[in-house]
Amino acid sequence: GRPVFALAVGKAAPEMIAGLPGQVSAGLCISHHVPAEMLPGVRYHVGGHPVPNAESLLAGALALDFCARVPADAVFLGLLSGGASALMEQLHASVSVEEFRRETHRRLKSGASIAELNAYRKTVSSVKAGGLARALRHVKRARILVISDVAG
C-alpha cells in the first residue's frame, strides 16, 4: 500500500500513534511527555502546556516542515487530541513570543474559556485556522482523527 505519514499532536498523541505499530513510514509526535516505548520512524517532541513555550514554537516549525515533506502519493494521518493548541505553535512574524505568552497568561487568569483562548490563538498562529492544511495541500490522501475535551 501507500506509505503512511502520521502527525500526532496533543496530550494523548503518544497513545494515539502507539496504535499504529508497523504501519507508519514516518511520524512526528508532539505531546507533553515522551512515552516509555517509542515507535521506530517516529520523532517525539515535548511542547509546553497549558501555556506554549519555546519548545511549542519549535514543535510548530517541525510540524509545518513535516507536512511539507509528506510525499504527494502518501497517506497523511493527523491524530489530534486535547492540548494540541498549546503544545504546537508557530506565530505570525508580527507577534513576539513574549507578547503571545503575556496575552495567554492574561486570558487564563481572567477566566477565559478554552474556546475564547483558542479563538485568540487562531488570530496569531501560522499552524491553526488552516495553516497545517496549507502545508499539506499537495497531499492527495489525508485523514484526521480528533479526540477532544472541548465541546463543539
Side-chain angles (χ1 to χ4, degrees):
R2 297 179 187 275
V4 175
F5 283 66
L7 171 64
V9 185
K11 293 180 285 185
E15 292 76 17
M16 292 175 80
I17 205 164
L20 302 169
Q23 299 176 47
V24 176
S25 303
L28 175 60
C29 180
I30 300 166
S31 190
H32 66 309
H33 70 286
V34 174
E37 292 186 34
M38 295 182 271
L39 290 181
V42 175
R43 179 176 180 174
Y44 292 83
H45 184 82
V46 175
H49 186 273
V51 177
N53 60 17
E55 291 303 315
S56 301
L57 298 175
L58 177 56
L62 291 171
L64 287 168
D65 182 66
F66 179 82
C67 290
R69 293 175 183 269
V70 174
D73 64 339
V75 174
F76 173 80
L77 182 59
L79 305 169
L80 303 175
S81 60
S85 61
L87 292 162
M88 175 186 68
E89 186 56 271
Q90 183 70 42
L91 300 173
H92 294 306
S94 62
V95 181
S96 74
V97 176
E98 296 78 23
E99 176 187 347
F100 178 68
R101 288 181 55 84
R102 189 172 46 251
E103 184 61 20
T104 300
H105 275 294
R106 186 190 70 74
R107 289 172 187 252
L108 284 170
K109 281 186 169 183
S110 72
S113 69
I114 189 65
E116 292 167 328
L117 194 58
N118 285 341
Y120 163 69
R121 288 172 172 164
K122 286 182 199 177
T123 67
V124 298
S125 178
S126 296
V127 294
K128 294 169 185 61
L132 280 179
R134 285 186 290 280
L136 288 163
R137 64 179 164 255
H138 65 285
V139 177
K140 294 179 179 89
R141 298 176 197 268
R143 301 291 179 264
I144 310 297
L145 303 175
V146 180
I147 298 173
S148 180
D149 55 352
V150 179

